[in-house]
Amino acid sequence: MGKIKKIEKITSNPYVNLYDMDVENSKGHAGKYYIASRAKTIDTLELNTKQQSPDGVVIYSLYGEQHDRVVLIRQYRYAIDNYIYEFPAGLVEPGEEYHSAAVRELREETGLMLHPIPVDTIYQKPYYTTIGMTDECCATVYGYADGEISADMQETSEEIEVVLADRNEVRRILREERVSIMCSYMLMHFLEDEEPFRFLHC
């Protein structure tokens, strides 16, 4: 098992920071490693706290009387200077329960109301997003959405288009568009399963 010899915080930003580490692997080779983290201090990095709590929440929701459309967002992302299809998502605020965060985030990003459904912990507990470069982890909340689409609560920094995609549109999106990996796997289920949430009840 590797060892972390020293940690230095490189940036002081509100939402994500870069940390520089002096490390040694299990074979005795010394080196450098860099991680991005939502943690605001070295003490609150997960590698120090050993606590896995969700930094953010991802929302997989179905829309319509037949639950035959999935709620997606098409969002501009600076990292690729392009638009990408994703599930609505956002950060969990300090002290906020992540199901409540999901309801809030869906409302803010889409104008829709989320009605979460209870599922086993194995489907919703926090999982890591891109562990090679960050300790960020997100919980997934599943549910049904209703209401009218609105951009009134979106932040001025966001460029978001709400998409209610049926199976034909999902197929096109997966074939032709840029899609986040977390979203893509669930959309594959949506395409193939007559009841998209059936796997939650296995």
Side-chain angles (χ1 to χ4, degrees), residues 53-77:
S53 57
D55 298 294
V57 62
V58 177
I59 304 141
Y60 179 11
S61 58
L62 302 178
Y63 186 88
E65 290 184 7
Q66 304 301 316
H67 303 149
D68 56 353
R69 286 179 284 173
V70 59
V71 181
L72 303 175
I73 59 172
R74 179 178 179 265
Q75 182 166 201
Y76 175 81
R77 292 294 195 179

Side-chain angles (χ1 to χ4, degrees), residues 27-40:
K27 299 176 183 177
H29 296 289
K32 287 279 192 180
Y33 202 86
Y34 304 90
I35 64 166
S37 179
R38 301 287 186 187
K40 291 180 169 52

Side-chain angles (χ1 to χ4, degrees), residues 18-126:
L18 183 65
Y19 293 84
D20 178 349
M21 297 190 293
D22 293 337
V23 299
E24 182 181 298
N25 71 14
S26 59
K27 299 176 183 177
H29 296 289
K32 287 279 192 180
Y33 202 86
Y34 304 90
I35 64 166
S37 179
R38 301 287 186 187
K40 291 180 169 52
T41 66
I42 291 173
D43 289 343
T44 55
L45 287 166
E46 183 180 328
L47 60 88
N48 282 321
T49 67
K50 306 303 182 188
Q51 298 296 312
Q52 183 186 19
S53 57
D55 298 294
V57 62
V58 177
I59 304 141
Y60 179 11
S61 58
L62 302 178
Y63 186 88
E65 290 184 7
Q66 304 301 316
H67 303 149
D68 56 353
R69 286 179 284 173
V70 59
V71 181
L72 303 175
I73 59 172
R74 179 178 179 265
Q75 182 166 201
Y76 175 81
R77 292 294 195 179
Y78 289 107
I80 58 173
D81 188 25
N82 213 324
Y83 287 87
I84 186 169
Y85 284 80
E86 306 173 81
F87 283 135
L91 296 178
V92 178
E93 295 177 354
E96 186 178 31
E97 198 276 328
Y98 67 84
H99 294 87
S100 299
V103 173
R104 174 182 56 76
E105 285 289 347
L106 193 74
R107 187 77 169 169
E108 291 175 358
E109 291 192 352
T110 71
L112 301 175
M113 179 59 66
L114 177 68
H115 305 279
I117 59 174
V119 300
D120 191 284
T121 304
I122 66 171
Y123 299 112
Q124 63 182 346
K125 76 173 200 177

